[in-house]
Amino acid sequence: MEALAERLSHLDAHVHGAIRVVAFYDTLMRRRVDLPALARASAGLAECVAGVRLHGTGRVIRFSPDGGDASASTASASSTAPITLDEEEIGTVWLERPGPPSPLDDVLLDRLAIAAAAVVERYGPARTTMADPALVELAISSDNDEAARARALRLLGFPADLPVHVVAVRSRLPLDRIGGLICPARPVKAAQLADVGVILATTVDPARFPPGVRAGIGAAESPDRSWREARTALRFTTSRQPVVHHAGLGALGLLAQVPKDIARDNADVAAIARIAENAEDLATLDAYCATGSLRRAADLLHLHHSSVARRLEQIAKTLGVELTEPTGLVRARLALTAWRLLDD
């Protein structure tokens, strides 16, 4: 390469400069630098601010020529180039030269774009929402140390300065579709682990889950704890409440810690099991527990309130509680929830 550059330098100074730019980026790629190091080196070479942005994550990396991080401020790009991987544009690189463009800016940006694509291909983030299950498991496992977890998240494409929420999902819909809906235009990855789908996302919009999806959303900042919370919240989902945020469970979350054999032997829970043998009675009790009102329960069930009242009278006898009293309603709600948790 150096011999070729020397011969070409006698022919054209521009060609000589272009060869040196190419050699510069070849060296960076051999050293397997990451995107911030690539942007920092480019800014030093161009002697102006250089930036990299990935469409899939929205992450902006921007450095000044002195090597300082300039991502907090913005300015107009003097020249840009697309980052292309597998014939798809995945991002943009640019220079912010205050004066007229340099004759070598196009060459520099072309090589920067090629190098950035190589970094993304090697380290992530991948363009697709679906991720390697092994990496996702590393990110959410409580058995790993923080260094291993941070590396897994980096390989999945999550910037260190963004929170990661974990969602546990059961659905027949593709996980990548669900992930794209609940976290549009932001970093999101998904994988299937055993019988539960896992979605890692920087933001989660509960209102955007499509019909037919059961989802539990973790609240903790640490991905491993958020995963435990998400699985717990998933256990509390019902057809009436298909999406549950762990933060909204409050003290109800304690029911998930009760051993199943103890819950099964409880008299109220055993009574719910008997009531569940009749689908109409179970639906009636569910509606009444959800509303706390006989008339509103009747509206949900599309029945006359007198019919619901007769059913509730029989249900109350089976439970051995007075459902019209606050204490009886609380007991019924807790027993119904505990009985549902037995199936998970």
Side-chain angles (χ1 to χ4, degrees):
M1 178 65 74
E2 292 181 359
L4 176 61
E6 181 65 26
R7 290 197 301 271
L8 290 175
S9 66
H10 295 294
L11 301 176
D12 192 316
H14 176 75
V15 173
H16 177 65
I19 293 295
R20 288 189 176 275
V21 170
V22 172
F24 177 84
Y25 282 99
D26 285 347
T27 300
L28 290 178
M29 293 170 71
R30 283 197 301 271
R31 292 176 179 174
R32 297 176 177 268
V33 298
D34 57 12
L35 287 177
L38 190 60
R40 184 185 295 109
S42 299
L45 178 65
E47 298 183 334
C48 68
V49 172
V52 178
R53 182 184 186 278
L54 299 181
H55 298 330
T57 65
R59 182 187 182 191
V60 174
I61 303 169
R62 187 169 169 269
F63 280 91
S64 59
D66 62 2
D69 185 353
S71 58
S73 58
T74 58
S76 299
S78 57
S79 51
T80 65
I83 305 173
T84 304
L85 184 61
D86 295 335
E87 300 182 355
E88 181 178 347
E89 183 177 326
I90 63 169
T92 307
V93 295
W94 69 90
L95 296 177
E96 299 171 18
R97 195 175 295 283
S102 164
L104 291 175
D105 281 359
D106 287 344
V107 177
L108 189 152
L109 283 175
D110 180 65
R111 300 307 299 180
L112 172 56
I114 292 173
V119 172
V120 170
E121 186 175 33
R122 181 181 302 123
Y123 298 115
R127 302 183 313 282
T128 60
T129 298
M130 297 306 294
D132 182 351
L135 272 182
V136 172
E137 194 164 11
L138 280 173
I140 63 177
S141 174
S142 58
D143 296 331
N144 294 323
D145 57 31
E146 289 304 315
R149 192 183 331 281
R151 181 176 182 274
L153 289 172
R154 179 177 66 82
L155 292 176
L156 287 167
F158 290 98
D161 57 343
L162 290 179
V164 178
H165 303 280
V166 184
V167 183
V169 175
R170 283 199 176 98
S171 173
R172 294 182 179 180
L173 296 177
L175 283 176
D176 56 346
R177 178 185 167 192
I178 299 171
L181 287 172
I182 66 173
C183 185
R186 298 295 298 276
V188 57
K189 294 292 178 183
Q192 188 73 30
L193 297 183
D195 62 335
V196 180
V198 184
I199 296 177
L200 305 178
T202 50
T203 61
V204 177
D205 185 349
R208 294 179 63 88
F209 281 96
V213 173
R214 296 283 186 96
I217 306 171
E221 293 183 2
S222 174
D224 59 326
R225 183 176 176 185
S226 186
W227 169 233
R228 293 195 299 271
E229 292 179 347
R231 284 184 299 172
T232 297
L234 181 63
R235 296 179 62 194
F236 284 85
T237 60
T238 66
S239 58
R240 196 181 302 281
Q241 189 178 8
V243 179
V244 173
H245 201 299
H246 188 272
L249 288 175
L252 280 177
L254 296 173
L255 288 176
Q257 301 179 28
V258 177
K260 289 186 177 182
D261 56 343
I262 294 178
R264 193 175 288 109
D265 290 340
N266 179 268
D268 287 354
V269 176
I272 294 292
R274 292 193 298 273
I275 292 169
E277 295 174 0
N278 185 308
E280 291 183 349
D281 285 349
L282 182 64
T284 300
L285 179 61
D286 179 44
Y288 183 69
C289 286
T291 62
S293 163
L294 189 152
R295 291 189 177 274
R296 288 202 297 270
D299 289 340
L300 281 178
L301 296 168
H302 305 291
L303 294 172
H304 194 274
H305 67 273
S306 60
S307 299
V308 174
R310 285 193 297 270
R311 289 186 186 177
L312 287 175
E313 186 178 352
Q314 289 300 120
I315 292 170
K317 290 179 180 179
T318 303
L319 280 173
V321 300
E322 181 52 64
L323 292 175
T324 58
E325 295 181 356
T327 301
L329 181 57
V330 169
R331 281 179 58 179
R333 284 172 170 166
L334 290 175
L336 182 60
T337 301
W339 173 77
R340 285 189 174 123
L341 293 177
L342 295 177
D343 291 335
D344 295 315

